[in-house]
Amino acid sequence: MSTRTLQQILRAHPTSDGAGVKLRRSLGQSPGARLDPFLMLDEFSTDNPDDYIAGFPAHPHRGFETVTYMLEGHMQHEDHLGHRGELVGGGAQWMTAGRGIIHSEMPLQENGRMHGFQLWINLPAREKLKPAAYRDVRPEEIASVALEGGGHARVIAGRIDSQTVSVEGPIQGLSTAPLFADVKLPAGACFTQAIEATHNAFVYVYEGELEVGATGNQRRLAAHEAGLLSTGACIAVAAGALGARFILLAARPLREPVVQYGPFVMNTREEIEQAIVDYQNGELTKEHSASLLSSRS
Ligand code: CO
């Protein structure tokens, strides 16, 4: 089985988004720093309320999916479709912006630690204008699997196999077939996982460090670094002396042009201009507002 090699390291840069939330951005820090279909990965991790209290007030998206995964903290999501979800430690939300969604994510805590991730996954051209959708994933819906080499993996999307058991995440059936797992390894533990050979994959270390690749061909990946992997049938990593916690992401690449303007990600400049006009005219979400009203009446 061909083991994927670590091809490129993207060190996360400090930045801020929303109304001033401090975060670290690895994928998405520049237009070249993407891994099809993954557009962006942000990690927010702080004990200081000033870094998160302003939250992410109402803002639009079109053309892709946003995934928020919380390790610690308490946030509230609200959107124009009337969804209201509370994000707590260990939970996630999977939002398909599609044609358009306007949402906010605001902290429900005034102090304490906030730690989590936001991931943007592109949609294929034929799905960019599909109806918006929102899925709240409670912590207990995310199965955890014990790994042979020690540690465990929580599976948000796709499937993780150990020798004795396969565990599927609550998110399935998307056309990019994403794998999203949160893995914790004790010091020195090894972890290997088969991944669809043609899918793009990366790991993002958020605690400790990893050696990535087959024995004899390893490269070190430190905390707050995203490691973009070659193609190959499996991934092999080993935790450093302090252990490691990381997220593992893989998905089917779209191989389509990407034109991004802030929260809109389309295939052409004209489609971006249309998204801006639609947003200014209140049409970004119009179809859904109308259908929502009719389904409620
Ligand atoms: Co958003």
Side-chain angles (χ1 to χ4, degrees), residues 235-263:
I235 173 181
V237 299
L242 298 173
R245 296 187 72 181
F246 63 96
I247 54 175
L248 166 62
L249 289 145
R252 179 182 294 131
L254 298 171
R255 305 187 200 289
E256 293 174 344
V258 175
V259 183
Q260 176 174 2
Y261 179 77

Side-chain angles (χ1 to χ4, degrees), residues 49-69:
D50 292 343
D51 291 344
Y52 60 72
I53 205 74
F56 299 88
H59 61 276
H61 294 286
R62 173 178 277 184
F64 60 102
E65 307 194 79
T66 73
V67 185
T68 308
Y69 175 55

Side-chain angles (χ1 to χ4, degrees), residues 283-295:
E283 307 244 336
L284 193 81
T285 57
K286 198 174 174 189
E287 209 173 74
H288 308 303
S289 306
S291 63
L292 187 73
L293 287 172
S294 62
S295 68

Side-chain angles (χ1 to χ4, degrees), residues 59-61 66 95 103 105 118 120:
H59 61 276
H61 294 286
T66 73
M95 192 179 81
H103 76 143
E105 293 149 299
Q118 184 163 98
W120 288 11

Side-chain angles (χ1 to χ4, degrees), residues 33-52:
R34 298 181 181 126
L35 184 69
D36 183 16
F38 300 107
L39 299 163
M40 191 187 85
L41 178 68
D42 287 344
E43 178 188 10
F44 42 93
S45 172
T46 178
D47 298 304
N48 180 359
D50 292 343
D51 291 344
Y52 60 72

